């Protein structure tokens, strides 16, 4: 049985953090909703018994069903024997994944500050305010945090020469920020050299290079989490 990933099929979203890690580690998987559609995802999720995923992405591996992006990545890391072998290090890597997940949620709230169920057009005034604070305060605070984490190892990756799940996730995060906030990210260029190093080096991982060149990799779009709305990217 191959590993199955369930995630919304039409935008990269949180599922992409899982895909990138599996591609980097050259893990075979089936991208179930890309094969069977979004309705099949909803059906599968609701048919599950006991403790179920609250939301995608989730991973199914035989009898095991795990949701929450940082947890999925930790599960795969352990299954594949790709952990560091040190509890403190591995916990710190999960910690960073959770920080990334928090930032991803804040990115989502720049265009959906009032309610996730309302359209962007119905919450634009609040979105301007949220995005302004995000650009001025929140994002710099997170980027300094991740920059320091990578700088501590001397780079190019968060733990030095060997890439970890945090590296593929930081790559995706920065790619997403470049899509959603191109002006702001241009303004930050040169300020976060270690993060730029991660972004430049992750595509050299063999599995990642093959993935990025494939049709499996889909572009960011305005249905996803990292959306480009010019008005939210003003300086
Ligand atoms: N913290 C979870 C968040 C999962 C999540 O919010 N998934 C979104 C799509 S990216 C979703 O489908 N949410 C539906 C909902 O919250 O009702 C993770 O990191 O995996």
């Amino acid at each position: 049985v191959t590993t199955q990933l369930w995630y919304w099929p039409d935008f990269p979203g949180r599922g992409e953090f899982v895909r990138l890690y599996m591609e980097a580690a050259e893990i075979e998987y089936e991208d179930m909703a890309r094969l069977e559609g979004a309705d099949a995802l909803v059906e599968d999720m609701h048919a599950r018994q006991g403790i179920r995923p609250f939301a995608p992405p989730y991973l199914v591996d035989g009898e095991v069903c795990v949701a929450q992006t940082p947890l999925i990545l930790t599960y795969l890391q352990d299954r594949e024997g790709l952990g560091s072998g040190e509890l403190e290090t591995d916990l710190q890597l999960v910690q960073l994944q959770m920080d990334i997940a928090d930032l991803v949620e804040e990115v989502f709230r720049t265009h959906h500050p009032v309610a996730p169920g309302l359209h962007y057009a119905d919450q634009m005034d609040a979105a301007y305010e949220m995005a302004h604070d995000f650009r001025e305060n929140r994002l710099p605070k997170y980027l300094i945090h991740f920059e320091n984490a990578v700088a501590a190892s001397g780079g190019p990756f968060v733990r030095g020469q060997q890439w970890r799940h945090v590296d593929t996730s930081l790559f995706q995060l920065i790619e997403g920020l470049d899509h959603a906030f191109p002006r702001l990210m241009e303004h930050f260029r040169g300020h976060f050299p270690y993060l730029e190093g991660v972004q430049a080096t992750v595509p050299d991982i063999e599995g990642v290079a093959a993935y990025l060149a494939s049709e499996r990799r889909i572009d960011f779009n305005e249905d996803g989490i990292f959306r480009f709305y010019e008005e939210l990217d003003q300086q």
Side-chain angles (χ1 to χ4, degrees):
V1 194
T2 52
T3 305
Q4 298 180 333
L5 168 68
W6 284 96
Y7 189 71
W8 304 115
D10 300 322
F11 52 88
R14 291 178 172 88
E16 199 65 11
F17 295 97
V18 182
R19 280 190 201 100
L20 266 175
Y21 185 63
M22 292 199 286
E23 298 278 355
E26 300 183 31
I27 296 170
E28 267 185 48
Y29 66 99
E30 287 179 305
D31 207 331
M32 297 305 290
R34 292 243 175 108
L35 296 168
E36 299 181 3
D39 290 347
L41 189 165
V42 176
E43 234 172 77
D44 180 88
M45 194 162 64
H46 288 129
R48 293 195 171 273
Q49 301 297 316
I51 299 178
R52 305 187 306 191
F54 176 77
Y58 62 95
L59 195 85
V60 179
D61 180 17
E63 295 295 302
V64 177
C65 175
V66 209
Q68 291 286 4
T69 308
L71 200 56
I72 296 170
L73 293 169
T74 304
Y75 171 75
L76 286 169
Q77 170 192 262
D78 283 9
R79 193 190 76 178
E80 300 295 314
L82 294 171
S84 70
E86 291 162 29
L87 180 63
E88 188 186 4
T89 301
D90 283 353
L91 288 176
Q92 286 175 337
L93 295 178
V94 188
Q95 175 188 319
L96 288 170
Q97 281 295 345
M98 294 172 89
D99 295 336
I100 292 169
D102 284 351
L103 172 51
V104 167
E105 183 60 26
E106 292 200 32
V107 169
F108 178 76
R109 282 179 15 221
T110 60
H111 48 80
H112 280 75
V114 178
L118 292 177
H119 290 290
Y120 170 58
D122 298 328
Q123 44 191 321
M124 284 176 77
D125 288 348
Y128 293 140
E129 280 190 51
M130 187 66 103
H132 180 261
D133 184 63
F134 179 79
R135 294 191 313 267
E136 293 289 313
N137 300 311
R138 301 298 296 170
L139 184 58
K141 192 170 174 180
Y142 276 108
L143 292 180
I144 290 167
H145 172 64
F146 295 128
E147 175 76 5
N148 287 341
V150 182
S153 78
F157 299 123
V158 71
R159 294 297 298 164
Q161 295 299 319
Q162 174 59 50
W163 60 269
R164 306 282 176 195
H165 56 58
V166 172
D167 299 296
T168 47
S169 293
L170 284 175
F171 166 79
Q172 181 61 14
L173 176 71
I174 297 161
E175 292 284 308
L177 291 167
D178 282 346
H179 173 80
F181 300 99
R183 250 179 92 158
L184 179 67
M185 292 304 281
E186 185 54 39
H187 170 77
F188 285 156
R189 193 171 299 277
H191 288 77
F192 302 103
Y194 285 96
L195 291 181
E196 287 177 18
V198 172
Q199 187 182 17
T201 313
V202 165
D204 293 340
I205 300 167
E206 230 170 278
V208 174
Y211 173 60
L212 295 179
S214 77
E215 285 181 2
R216 298 192 299 285
R217 172 76 170 178
I218 61 168
D219 291 336
F220 293 104
N221 61 51
E222 281 52 70
D223 294 323
I225 292 166
F226 295 99
R227 304 183 186 191
F228 175 56
Y229 292 133
E230 198 173 1
E231 60 278 14
L232 302 186
D233 184 35
Q234 306 292 327
Q235 295 292 333

